């Protein structure tokens, strides 16, 4: 397998955390090539007494730069990552940080899979049944019904690549009955019902996401992004309240000591760093985009996730799903 | 103060829970009139050795009935509640259960406040700073920018009536910068910025809701309803996971006993029954709509909330806020 190109300059804590995460992944046998400023990356590698291949790129996109800057700055690290992927010298791209720039760079350099109207960011969320795959996580604020059908097909392909044999698909809506929702949902429902290659189970509601009523949840990128950020924020607040409740009195302080280990597992389950990065589905290559605030563990998770996706033939799966849709 | 008309037949556990809740509220001095089937209500009252005024209505809207049924069935309990309010014989209406029917009945019987394009359901959510007032909670799936501006004005009036002196207003969006979001948000932003009588603080994101970044959060009814149901579902799932984590081992079982009391307070904070019901803002009268699954405690909370709203002059506040907007 060709190495995964990591934009080592992307994210709030780059290159320290990106390099640390890459070293962790490489130790497990994940092939990685670092893309970024050579001197800075070598200094970080030295701290770990590690060596990794480096592609030297002096320029990189800062968090405060505009997404459209990738069109002018061809030699920026994120663009070089995509060029390596396109040339077949890398098997995937992982970038933490500037979502807009990564999206633009992927679209511009790799292009869309034939038949895909809009690529989608897929979000993995914890649920009572394991995992829920939500699309779109924020790549497309305004959506047409056909976009949502394609999100369903692409998310189904991703869920299958992640070991879910027959993923069920729900349309996120404000009622369970078929005739519910706004104009977009009313028009999307019959299209999903008729779409080949997906297992549509009807409307699901906000409360169904954490219940895990369906494996895949489809929505527009505005709603999906609100869902993603609300669920992260709520988890953080509730776990904070739990901590406060547990340290409120001397008696409960003692109890808190006894339950600490049990709660750590739960905190890990709710931690975005565990999920590492979101796949960008629908472009010609395996691309993963992580939080700007990613730490080494998140980078590590993202690289592992990218390797699994490549091994499971993610891009081919999406290609064939979309082809079936276009023919059907 | 005129009594609050309670649709005693509404909700999954009516009339048992509605009557029990009404009795609890009446004991605290909240004036209530029960609207529903007299014999059934008297039987429930007898269980509490209580007496309350009753308006006898043989018909009532079932959960499985259509919202539009309220147009034909003039004598249904929810319609009679609204007629009492319109005639000045009741000061407010509280109905648990059929949201669509209650909305339709309020619009049909009471009508909208002059200048209001669409009434809104307001949701109160817990936050790290206390409470967040979110509108729209689901009354309007498809929204125009002007609707959102009116929601902001009406939610501001409600927050003021609830003791928030200068409520800040955020537009729920997928980024903090001014130029973010879908078409609806891009068009709404400058209107909110220019609107008189509200304290607009710009865009807020999903993660800001539980943080309490702004007192009021404005969004369309589709997104708002997803937020409402997601946040309830997530809280339920996380607290379930906390319980499971706490009873996983013998050591943590002992700890769990010690922390039980502390966690009960937290569970109450996250319990929708505490919030009782959502006000319907923008109709000519104080109307509160609760969960279909409401228990006596939720009915009790809803009746108390309705009394506070009447005492704080909610409808007049909304009238003057909207008038200012129309003139401005």
């Amino acid at each position: 397998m060709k190495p995964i190109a990591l934009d080592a300059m992307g994210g709030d804590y780059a290159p320290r955390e990106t390099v640390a995460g890459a070293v962790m992944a490489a130790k497990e046998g994940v092939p990685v090539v670092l893309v970024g400023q050579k001197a800075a990356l070598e200094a970080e590698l030295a701290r770990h007494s590690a060596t990794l291949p480096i592609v030297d790129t002096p320029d990189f996109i800062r968090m405060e730069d505009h997404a459209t800057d990738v069109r002018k700055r061809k030699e920026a690290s994120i663009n070089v990552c995509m060029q390596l992927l396109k040339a077949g010298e890398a098997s995937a791209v992982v970038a933490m940080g500037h979502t807009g720039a990564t999206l633009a760079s992927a679209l511009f350099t790799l292009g869309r899979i034939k038949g895909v109207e809009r690529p989608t960011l897929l979000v993995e969320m914890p649920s009572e049944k394991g995992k829920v795959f939500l699309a779109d996580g924020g790549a497309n604020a305004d959506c047409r019904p056909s976009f949502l059908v394609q999100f369903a097909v692409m998310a189904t392909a991703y869920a299958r690549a992640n070991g879910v044999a027959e993923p069920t698909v729900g349309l996120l809506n404000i009622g369970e009955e078929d005739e519910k929702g706004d104009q977009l949902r009313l028009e999307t429902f019959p299209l999903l019902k008729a779409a080949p290659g997906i297992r549509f189970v009807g409307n699901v509601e906000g409360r169904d996401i954490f219940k895990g009523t369906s494996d895949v949840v489809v929505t527009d990128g505005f709603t999906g992004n609100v869902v993603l950020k609300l669920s992260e924020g709520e988890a953080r607040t509730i776990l904070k309240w739990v901590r406060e409740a547990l340290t409120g009195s001397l008696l409960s302080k003692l109890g808190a000591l006894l339950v600490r280990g049990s709660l750590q597992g739960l905190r890990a389950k709710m931690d975005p760093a565990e999920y590492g990065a979101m796949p960008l589905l629908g472009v010609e290559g395996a691309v993963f985009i992580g939080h700007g605030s990613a730490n080494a563990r998140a980078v590590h998770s993202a690289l592992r996730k990218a390797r699994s996706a490549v091994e499971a033939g993610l891009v081919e799966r999406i290609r064939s799903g979309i082809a079936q849709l276009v023919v059907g």
Side-chain angles (χ1 to χ4, degrees), chain A:
Chain A
M1 181 175 146
K2 292 281 179 184
I4 298 163
L6 174 65
D7 180 359
M9 310 308 286
D12 302 336
Y13 308 112
R16 191 188 68 215
E17 298 295 316
T18 47
V19 171
V23 169
M24 285 160 76
K27 275 187 187 150
E28 284 177 13
V30 180
V32 186
V33 54
L34 303 176
V35 180
Q37 295 178 339
K38 195 174 183 191
L41 299 182
E42 277 175 345
E44 288 297 327
L45 282 169
R47 285 156 37 102
H48 300 278
S49 315
T51 50
L52 280 175
I54 294 175
V55 172
D56 189 19
T57 61
D59 190 21
F60 65 95
I61 306 290
R62 273 84 178 163
M63 292 302 275
E64 60 274 19
D65 289 342
H66 276 280
T68 48
D69 285 7
V70 297
R71 297 217 161 221
K72 297 170 283 185
R73 292 155 63 184
K74 293 274 155 64
E75 302 304 316
S77 56
I78 185 64
N79 279 332
V80 172
C81 285
M82 298 296 172
Q83 287 153 16
L84 290 170
L85 178 54
K86 190 175 172 74
E89 287 166 50
S91 58
V93 168
V94 168
M96 321 307 276
H98 202 310
T99 306
T102 310
L103 253 160
S105 177
L107 271 169
F108 188 55
T109 310
L110 304 173
R112 286 170 288 162
I113 288 174
K114 198 183 160 212
V116 170
E117 291 179 276
R118 292 284 186 286
T120 182
L121 278 170
L122 185 135
V123 179
E124 293 175 53
M125 291 173 63
S127 87
E128 295 190 18
K129 292 192 184 146
K131 254 186 205 177
V132 165
F133 302 91
L134 176 95
D136 176 36
N140 309 278
D142 283 296
C143 284
R144 284 204 287 260
S146 59
F147 299 179
L148 269 68
V149 176
Q150 299 199 338
F151 300 164
V153 168
M154 296 191 278
T156 293
Y158 187 77
R160 283 216 183 95
N162 277 268
V164 184
E166 288 298 329
T168 53
V169 174
L171 173 64
L172 186 59
N173 209 329
I174 58 175
E176 289 175 359
E177 305 82 354
D178 291 8
E179 303 278 306
K180 279 279 178 178
D182 58 358
Q183 203 52 39
L184 176 60
R185 273 23 87 154
L186 289 171
E187 289 175 25
T188 304
F189 190 96
L191 298 184
L192 282 171
K193 219 169 159 178
I198 61 166
R199 208 171 134 205
F200 182 53
V201 295
N203 290 323
V204 296
E205 296 188 87
R207 62 172 69 97
D208 291 303
I209 297 176
F210 272 81
K211 255 199 230 163
T213 304
S214 63
D215 299 305
V216 170
V217 172
V218 175
T219 192
D220 62 279
F222 183 87
T223 309
N225 192 266
V226 168
V227 164
L228 163 66
K229 289 173 180 164
L230 169 64
S231 66
E232 284 182 10
E234 179 170 359
R236 208 172 299 129
T237 297
I238 295 183
L239 291 179
K240 185 178 152 188
W241 282 339
V242 167
R243 255 193 324 275
E244 286 169 4
L246 295 190
T247 50
S249 74
L250 192 63
L251 206 66
S252 65
K253 259 196 196 93
L254 176 63
L257 271 177
L258 296 176
V259 302
R260 195 164 52 178
S262 316
L263 282 180
Q264 260 157 10
L266 173 58
R267 225 166 281 147
K269 174 147 66 174
M270 302 305 299
D271 183 357
E274 285 293 313
Y275 287 84
M278 299 190 277
L280 175 64
L281 307 178
V283 292
E284 275 291 356
V287 175
F288 287 77
I289 307 181
H291 261 264
S293 62
N295 57 16
R297 207 156 55 84
V299 175
H300 178 200
S301 298
L303 288 166
R304 277 199 302 199
K305 192 172 286 224
R307 177 176 62 174
S308 305
V310 172
E311 285 174 351
L314 175 65
V315 176
E316 294 70 27
R317 284 172 187 268
I318 294 177
R319 250 187 235 122
S320 81
I322 291 290
Q324 197 184 347
L325 192 64
V326 174
V327 173

